[in-house]
Amino acid sequence: MTTYPVFDGHNDFAWEVRKQFGYATEHLGGSIPTTQTDFERIRAGGLAAQYWSVWVNPDKIHGADQVTATLEQIDFIHRLIAAYPNELGAARTAAEAREVMASGRVASLIGVEGGAQIGGSLAVLRNYARLGARYMTLTWSRTIDWADSATDEALHGGLTDFGRDVVREMNRIGMLVDLSHVAPSTMRDALEVASRPPIVTHSGALSLCSHPRNVPDDVIREIGARDGVLMVAFVPSFLRQERRDWDVNGGGGEAPAVTVRDVADHIEYFRDFAGVHAVGIGADYDGSDEMPEGLEDVGCYQALFAELASRGWSDADLRALGTENALRVLEASDDDYTRFMAGEAGEPIGRTAALIGSVEEE
């Protein structure tokens, strides 16, 4: 049976290690029963490349402390790669990712999960990029000063002018714009401004399940037309309407079952609206306490490929889903990132939010 390699768009292992082990790396080489991720299961599941999420809980960490916590998360990813060089390899571009994958290791990239983590500073954004971050999710689950979240009160009608500058600056320096977590109005504003293919790293289709974290049809089509990629999350409440309704109603009794078939349904929905070139996987392992039956941890990816193969998916389309689409979209911004890292990207776009409207005294 063919094992299809996977380039997963989102994994919250770094935050789990912060909570459980205080960022220590020395005991992460073996089985870790309290996480959904470890190297044994990574090998079993065929994980070949991973955007490791660096996330900060804004309900507990505020202001400039979010920047500090983000740097701690990035530091952990670098130390994890260094501690396990036979398992992981650092990658910043698609070419580097392919090289690491070819060596049998997991190509390890970084994604910042929330625009609040730049502290209103485009300079902080640029420094995250210098440290290897290749995407940023414009918001997490809270509306921020410059962008509306999907799961919080809308304050801006999408993006503010500074928010639009963030998108432009991300395109200039080669950071992919992630539209997971943001309100549909923010999605549409970002697409209006963006000049590079966008990504959705861990969401589902709104028409299949009315969770506000999911993506509406017009945005799905537009991302496909922009040559972007939509990565399906495995979070049960994103996948099946009955499960979403059960959660909304307080979760009494037995939860409606969610299975690998539900994930496949969302992938096929994205394919039908956006094209097979626009589908990917962003499971959100270690970011959700529960996962679908048959996809409980990172060792289970191949069950999804088996389900799709049973539905008539070709080998080429399964490989596109697994790695090739995510690599193509990364590569579309690699020249921008390489120029930025070489100091050849020109002047920054926009100003730090804290300086807008201020007058500095001599």
Side-chain angles (χ1 to χ4, degrees):
M1 181 178 176
T2 301
T3 296
Y4 290 95
V6 174
F7 187 167
D8 188 300
H10 195 87
N11 182 301
D12 281 302
F13 183 63
W15 188 261
E16 280 301 304
V17 173
R18 172 193 167 104
K19 288 195 305 181
Q20 297 187 35
F21 307 110
Y23 287 135
T25 64
E26 59 264 34
H27 302 300
L28 302 180
S31 174
I32 312 175
T34 55
T35 68
Q36 296 164 349
T37 305
D38 60 36
F39 292 129
E40 180 179 346
R41 288 176 287 179
I42 280 173
R43 290 188 291 271
L47 184 66
Q50 180 70 64
Y51 282 112
W52 300 104
S53 172
V54 294
W55 173 72
V56 172
N57 186 343
D59 296 331
K60 298 181 179 180
I61 302 173
H62 308 103
D65 289 342
Q66 290 198 40
V67 177
T68 300
T70 302
L71 293 173
E72 290 171 348
Q73 292 261 294
I74 292 172
D75 173 74
F76 167 72
I77 297 300
H78 285 293
R79 290 191 300 106
L80 181 68
I81 295 166
Y84 298 97
N86 294 327
E87 305 286 352
L88 306 174
R92 298 190 181 202
T93 66
E96 290 177 356
R98 291 185 188 279
E99 183 177 349
V100 174
M101 290 163 59
S103 74
R105 297 173 295 158
V106 177
S108 295
L109 302 94
I110 294 170
V112 177
E113 193 183 8
Q117 293 171 230
I118 67 170
S121 171
L122 295 178
V124 172
L125 174 75
R126 290 188 288 272
N127 278 303
Y128 290 162
R130 291 185 180 101
L131 291 171
R134 286 303 311 272
Y135 79 66
M136 184 174 74
T137 316
L138 297 182
T139 74
W140 183 62
S141 295
R142 306 288 179 265
T143 289
I144 60 175
D145 289 345
W146 48 269
D148 288 332
S149 170
T151 51
D152 198 5
E153 181 183 0
L155 299 177
H156 315 294
L159 289 173
T160 67
D161 288 342
F162 177 73
R164 290 176 172 86
D165 279 347
V166 171
V167 172
R168 294 186 184 101
E169 185 68 349
M170 290 176 69
N171 285 165
R172 185 184 75 88
I173 67 176
M175 283 186 76
L176 281 64
V177 176
D178 176 22
L179 302 181
S180 284
H181 278 290
V182 305
S185 56
T186 303
M187 295 178 186
R188 294 175 186 121
D189 283 354
L191 289 168
E192 183 178 321
V193 173
S195 58
R196 296 291 183 269
I199 59 174
V200 171
T201 60
H202 58 305
S203 296
L206 186 65
S207 289
L208 292 184
C209 179
S210 65
H211 197 293
R213 278 279 282 101
N214 287 341
V215 186
D217 290 350
D218 66 301
V219 175
I220 295 171
R221 288 193 188 94
E222 185 65 17
I223 289 173
R226 296 288 193 91
D227 212 25
V229 65
L230 299 120
M231 299 174 166
V232 174
F234 296 178
V235 180
S237 62
F238 297 178
L239 296 172
R240 185 179 171 196
Q241 189 63 49
E242 292 84 354
R243 180 60 172 263
R244 165 65 178 163
D245 294 341
W246 179 81
D247 285 338
V248 169
N249 293 325
E254 185 175 354
V258 178
T259 73
V260 63
R261 293 185 295 276
D262 297 297
V263 178
D265 288 345
H266 282 257
I267 289 172
E268 292 199 314
Y269 193 92
F270 282 163
R271 179 200 61 182
D272 293 345
F273 272 76
V276 74
H277 70 283
V279 295
I281 295 169
D284 203 7
Y285 283 124
D286 284 308
S288 175
D289 291 338
E290 296 183 62
M291 285 289 169
E293 295 175 13
L295 294 170
E296 290 84 0
D297 56 55
V298 296
C300 300
Y301 291 110
Q302 297 309 308
L304 176 59
F305 291 96
E307 172 65 23
L308 291 168
S310 76
R311 300 182 184 201
W313 279 54
S314 70
D315 180 80
D317 287 351
L318 291 172
R319 293 187 184 281
L321 167 71
T323 58
E324 294 307 309
N325 293 341
L327 287 166
R328 185 199 70 248
V329 174
L330 177 65
E331 191 169 36
S333 290
D334 278 351
D335 285 348
D336 300 303
Y337 183 71
T338 300
R339 283 193 295 270
F340 167 68
M341 292 296 287
E344 299 170 355
E347 285 298 304
I349 292 172
R351 292 176 291 166
T352 293
L355 297 180
I356 295 174
S358 70
V359 177
E360 294 190 35
E361 295 182 2
E362 294 293 332

